[in-house]
Amino acid sequence: DRMLPTELKYFNALGQNVKTETRRLITCQGKICTATEQKMVDNVKGGAWTQLARKTWKVNEPMADELFTRRALEK
């Protein structure tokens, strides 16, 4: 019963809608809710789009500090 946005519009300084993000299939783990699918449409570049689809997820999963070293991040 959480109210989450399903569409976000991004505007430039001139007030033009330059990108639109849509979120679908909201799921929750405890108090954390997020979209299973997200799509970003570039309204300036002829409707080019990128879609992200989450397969699995874990909330507050421990992560080793070594994952965030410069060397690890450059891999």
Side-chain angles (χ1 to χ4, degrees), residues 26-63:
I26 306 294
T27 58
C28 301
Q29 285 190 20
K31 294 182 179 183
I32 309 298
C33 298
T34 187
T36 301
E37 295 178 5
Q38 294 175 282
K39 184 175 181 179
M40 181 71 78
V41 177
D42 190 327
N43 301 321
V44 176
K45 296 184 179 178
W49 54 273
T50 302
Q51 183 168 336
L52 300 173
R54 175 177 38 84
K55 293 180 181 181
T56 63
W57 66 307
K58 297 178 182 178
V59 174
N60 295 324
E61 184 73 8
M63 298 174 75

Side-chain angles (χ1 to χ4, degrees), residues 8 11-12 42 46 51 66 70:
L8 300 168
F11 296 87
N12 64 13
D42 190 327
Q51 183 168 336
E66 293 79 32
R70 181 179 206 131

